[in-house]
Amino acid sequence: GDNQQLHVAGMCHSNTRGGRRINGFGAPLNSYQIATWVLYAWVILEFVIFIAPFLHRDSSFLWSVVAGFFVSAISTFGWAWVCTAHDPTDVQAVEAWKHPTVANDTTADTYCLYCSANVSSNCKHCRACDRCVDDFDHHCVYLNNCIHKGSYRAFIGLLVSVVIMMAIWIACNAFVAIVALDDGSPSRVALKVADSLGVSEISVAVVSLVSSAIGAVALLLVGQLLSFHFYLIWLGLTTYEYIMQQRDKQHNQTDLRAASHKSRRWCSHSSSKISPTVITGNTASPKRTKWNPSISSFRSTLVAPK
């Protein structure tokens, strides 16, 4: 037990750099990350134990379904590993940490107070990882790592693989539940599988229905996330740029409402000789500088610049 804990601690320590996380395997591990891996393990085990025996028939279609599930499951594991093990830290920040005696220009616009280093102009400091990330997209709690330009393709591949895997898993669980609950004409396969597991057909059906419900929720969430990122690719924006753009729009709307409310109050107590048009023009809040997202090379590998 103690040796295993030391081994795990050593693995987590090897994935940190000066107290900063190098990748998603660095300490501290996220609870969402652990729950995701547990769910993934359950999907694989449940398919092998409860579903695969029911699909063991002389049907090329059913065998193609089994093959499709395992291909998508292996792809999911591979893409998730790539995204988790990837180091998105800005190269200039890493060099500054390797050579702390080299002086940094603290007056430069690209100097990060948190990293104590000059970084690239398109960086953003991630508070969760405590490091600057080049071409930052977002921090994924399920991978315990930041997604950026270098790992975005793998992230999209991960989402596509999860959607395919969960769709097959849900369909297969629904099929098993129907077969197990077929009282009119009990399937010999269902009876044989239930006996081999030492459980009743009702128990098999319950497990399949619960798994289908869990899979449906996961498929809905991941499907929405994948659709959102396809939309961002079409816009040519990162997740962070999109959030900041929406936040800026909300600030502008708030300023306009506040200015309009102030103008109405001012007009109600002012002299009738003063033109409401003049009052509105003089009391309006200063025009905010519209936030202009930098259409950098972030999406250049996915879509052509507009």
Side-chain angles (χ1 to χ4, degrees):
D2 294 339
N3 292 333
Q4 185 177 5
Q5 291 179 359
L6 290 174
H7 177 67
V8 173
M11 289 180 61
C12 294
H13 180 71
S14 63
N15 288 286
T16 58
R17 181 194 296 114
R20 292 182 172 91
R21 185 184 298 129
I22 295 178
N23 52 43
F25 294 114
L29 298 179
N30 193 286
S31 58
Y32 290 98
Q33 177 190 25
I34 298 174
T36 300
W37 285 110
V38 171
L39 176 61
Y40 176 81
W42 166 251
V43 170
I44 302 299
L45 291 175
E46 197 268 348
F47 188 91
V48 173
I49 295 174
F50 288 93
I51 296 178
F54 282 88
L55 302 180
H56 185 65
R57 298 181 179 182
D58 296 332
S59 173
S60 58
F61 173 74
L62 294 179
W63 278 111
S64 63
V65 170
V66 174
F69 173 82
F70 282 109
V71 168
S72 60
I74 294 173
S75 178
T76 297
F77 181 85
W79 289 126
W81 186 276
V82 170
C83 292
T84 306
H86 187 78
D87 181 11
T89 311
D90 179 62
V91 177
Q92 294 188 31
V94 174
E95 290 298 322
W97 297 334
K98 288 181 179 179
H99 308 285
T101 56
V102 178
N104 286 282
D105 185 7
T106 58
T107 61
D109 295 335
T110 56
Y111 181 80
C112 178
L113 294 175
Y114 300 102
C115 293
S116 300
N118 292 112
V119 295
S120 302
S121 58
N122 54 349
C123 278
K124 181 192 177 300
H125 188 88
C126 176
R127 294 184 180 181
C129 298
D130 190 23
R131 61 181 172 188
C132 278
V133 177
D134 187 22
D135 278 314
F136 177 84
D137 187 86
H138 71 282
H139 179 84
C140 181
V141 295
Y142 301 100
L143 298 171
N144 198 34
N145 202 8
C146 291
I147 304 299
H148 76 136
K149 179 181 178 180
S151 59
Y152 193 75
R153 277 176 173 264
F155 180 72
I156 295 297
L158 171 61
L159 296 182
V160 173
S161 299
V162 171
V163 167
I164 296 174
M165 181 184 70
M166 297 307 293
I168 297 176
W169 191 56
I170 295 171
C172 290
N173 272 290
F175 171 78
V176 170
I178 293 174
V179 171
L181 294 176
D182 189 4
D183 295 332
S185 174
S187 171
R188 278 187 267 176
V189 176
L191 292 173
K192 183 178 179 180
V193 172
D195 291 339
S196 64
L197 295 175
V199 297
S200 64
E201 294 182 47
I202 298 297
S203 300
V204 174
V206 169
V207 172
S208 298
L209 291 174
V210 172
S211 298
S212 296
I214 296 175
V217 174
L219 179 60
L220 177 63
L221 295 176
V222 179
Q224 288 181 338
L225 182 60
L226 179 60
S227 301
F228 174 68
H229 277 279
F230 280 153
Y231 176 64
L232 291 180
I233 293 173
W234 181 73
L235 291 177
L237 297 174
T238 66
T239 302
Y240 177 71
E241 288 173 340
Y242 178 82
I243 292 175
M244 295 304 297
Q245 189 181 68
Q246 297 302 312
R247 184 178 299 177
D248 190 74
K249 289 180 180 179
Q250 292 178 358
H251 286 322
N252 286 335
Q253 292 175 358
T254 302
D255 289 347
L256 290 174
R257 286 195 296 267
S260 177
H261 179 68
K262 183 185 293 185
S263 298
R264 287 196 298 268
R265 291 186 57 188
W266 209 91
C267 289
S268 62
H269 297 287
S270 63
S271 172
S272 59
K273 295 182 180 180
I274 303 179
S275 171
T277 303
V278 176
I279 295 173
T280 303
N282 291 336
T283 58
S285 60
K287 183 179 180 181
R288 293 174 60 89
T289 303
K290 186 177 181 180
W291 186 82
N292 185 19
S294 59
I295 308 300
S296 62
S297 60
F298 181 84
R299 310 288 184 187
S300 60
T301 57
L302 298 172
V303 293
K306 296 181 179 180

